[in-house]
Amino acid sequence: MHLQRFLWIMPGALLAPSSACLIQETGPMVDFGQEVAPVLAAHCYRCHGPEKQKMGLRLDQKAAAFLGGDSGEPGIVPANSARSELFRRISIPDELDRMPPDGEPLSGEEIALIKRWIDEGAAWEDDGSEKMEETPHWSFQPLGDPTSPLSDDPWVASPIDGYVLARLRQGELEPSSEADRVSLIRRLYLDLHGLLPTPKQVDKFIRDNREDAWGRLVDEALASPRYGERWAQHWLDVVQYADSHGFEMNNPRPNAYPYRDYVIKAFNSDTPYNQFILEQLAGDSVGKDAATGFLVTGAWDQVESKEPAYTALQRQDELTAMVNTTGTAFLGLTLGCARCHNHKFDPVPQRDFYAMTAVFAGVQHGERPLYSKEDAIRLSKQLEISAEIEDLRNELPSLRPAISSSRNLERFKPIRARAVRMRIHSTNSAEPCIDELEVWSNETNVALTATPSSSGDYANNPKHKLEHINDGQLGNPRSWISNKPGSGWIQLDLSEPAIIDRVVWGRDRLQRFEDRTPTNYTIEVSAVPGQWTIVSGSQDRLPFGTQGGKATASLNSHELTSHIAEAEERQRALMVTPSAMVYAGKLRQPGPTYRLYRGDVMEKREIVAPDTLSALGRLDLPLDAPEQERRVALALGIASPANPLTPRVMANRIWHHHFGTGIVSTPGDFGTNGGTPSHPELLDWLARQFIQDGWSVKALHRTILLSNTYRQTSSPNTAGLARDAETRLLWRFPPRRLEAEVIRDCILQLSGCLDLSMGGAGFSTFEPNDNYVRVYIPKESLGPAEWRRMVYMHKVRMERAPLFGSFDLPDAGQVCPKRNQSTTAIQALNLFNGTFVIDQAKRMASFLKTSGGDPVDVAYRSAYGRPPNATESSTARSFITEESLVAFCRAILNSNELVFLP
């Protein structure tokens, strides 16, 4: 029997219906094995047009047919028709999903033939398709090593200029002249600091006649702490940082800010970018806990559901955000598109998405302790001692039974004693409780005549007193309790020295209570005042709550027990109490991760090992790899010099923020749907230089800033506007409106109110409230507490910031590698009529009056870096006379020259 058909493929599935395609006779028959099996040819067009052909599945090629389509399901699984999407789609009863899409379905005989062929191994003659390789997309290709052109041209000061000039001449354009020094220093300071240069700084640069004056100015600007504050904001946009959770409750994240402060410090200290990646993905492995705030910068739905499917969906959404943020920030890829199916445009199979999901599967939203560098050292030493303790425990000949809440016998070699002490280091709950401490010498309980003392006693309870510890009466009503949760000590000074060989104790010999039971303790004996010898303890017992062990361990094990107890004491001395918490994720060992059919959390398929994108290599981690090891491996893979995406994306991101548009205009999408490089050789040169300079972001800045390309004037010319109106070829420096943060900070700077305090919890411009579902109402007035730089302002997710929200401020609802650039009437109205601007204009007027200079001259020099010309001076003075100095300041704060990068 011959089956010759056309089968059509649709997004989201291997085989899906389409009214545009029919089953029909086609082509010659092909022998598969001993029987004539179907010719399975894909129509390949999703709708119409050859540009969409590559998105389909060719069933006339062996490799493609076996691999499957966009759903991620294998098309043909030899010897297993039940797992083969091809068979499922031709045999499914649902007409919407069944293939072929129109006309009569395949007959039972035809379906049986395909099923039999698959179950018998799907024999298919080698057609060479497995060896066919497509040329990878440009961004996945290795970095080129081009030679900069036109290096002998007098305009070329760096390889950057050579690449730019060559491209300009291809477009029959020439570069513009260098900008004047006032424009250059204002451009540099607004670009690197987000603040204006002071009049003194401007004058100093203008008077500096040294050949390297510009280079010195660049180095000075990069060394300022203002640089980190400015450029951290760009990164915080990319990772959708916010100080609230989002969703309908949108409660604050009061301890998210340490991550923001970490980013600022990382930029200021020029943390190598490969280290920056490692710290954000696995900072807990290198003593940078705050850095892993990166993992949980996304929104978190606090509303818990009793419905398992919805709870699983919420969790999958969280993991998707982690994968997507990582892909956008470091790789410039839209990985979230592969959650439900293979990526439609980029080489990211659905399995890769879930492999990266497995990397983050142990990360939960929430807070954890924030440890200092010194804390990290102490924690490391604790781990070393833990290993030492484990080795000592392995030397014990046997382990005694676990601690009992009723009665415990501590037997040891006979020893002379004047005092016995039980030191308690932890309990199963609350303050430790002992109903009776017995000390035996032969058959005499010498504790009955001893004098008790303790670290502190439970107050105001007649059942629990110090004298009950050795009164011979058992049970909770006659017991001693420490006054400190989890710890304490009790001591018995014997009435006369004695040779003792055992101690007996219990929490409640009447077996009514099990709480407050000591779980870590030592029994110590003193024959000379001030000198104690450990004779027994919990160190040679099984863990509390477990079964087994020998009723009496070897009496020779007390030396090992003593060593273990001493090691535990050293470990306790290194205990770290974190001074703060940080919203940087709760980390725990995850269970298995499954690939989800069409992204449906209830449709689990095969288990997936943690891994990176297959197009970038393999991590070779086992399914049960330790949680931290997964993130470390991914970070090292992303930051590998062999990965061409990472340096290209970061080099382009830096270029984007310097020039307003990246060499690739889509800084968050280096895939097929993203932009193509305007200067591909330049991008590869920058990426390679970035790596060679030790991944130094500041070195990359300096390379760009010292170029003649950056120093061009922003003035337009007719030829440039006619051939390249968007300035993609860089025939001039592209002017652009400043961001909301820069406008606000410069207004505060000009009024003399800007508070340059760094770090900490920041400030809010919303009225405080503690509603279950938060309502964010802007404050009616702002004072000194709100006059810090805007990077320290609480970022409320999905809530427009008062006044400056209209200036294209991201709402942190999603990653934002590139802000919108709009010019609207609302912006002008807000800036002119906003109470904040009006108040700052008044303060600026007061500041000018006390400045000691002419108010008009000081205002122009402070705002624009230059004195007013004669016309401006005359007009300003007339305006101040007719209106007021406040009105003049208000006009300055609303001027184009202030809010545009020159």
Side-chain angles (χ1 to χ4, degrees), residues 21-44:
C21 306
L22 300 172
I23 292 181
Q24 52 187 291
E25 299 294 322
T26 184
M29 296 173 292
V30 179
D31 269 346
F32 294 143
Q34 297 179 351
E35 298 196 28
V36 178
V39 174
L40 303 176
H43 188 297
C44 289

Side-chain angles (χ1 to χ4, degrees), residues 647-696:
R648 278 188 179 125
V649 168
M650 190 56 177
N652 185 72
R653 199 181 301 287
I654 298 296
W655 188 276
H656 163 78
H657 291 300
H658 280 311
F659 290 97
T661 303
I663 296 173
V664 177
S665 61
T666 52
D669 188 356
F670 269 45
T672 303
N673 260 14
T676 55
S678 59
H679 301 74
E681 294 85 3
L682 171 56
L683 179 59
D684 275 13
W685 183 86
L686 288 169
R688 187 174 289 278
Q689 192 68 33
F690 186 32
I691 297 173
Q692 290 175 358
D693 286 337
W695 299 88
S696 167

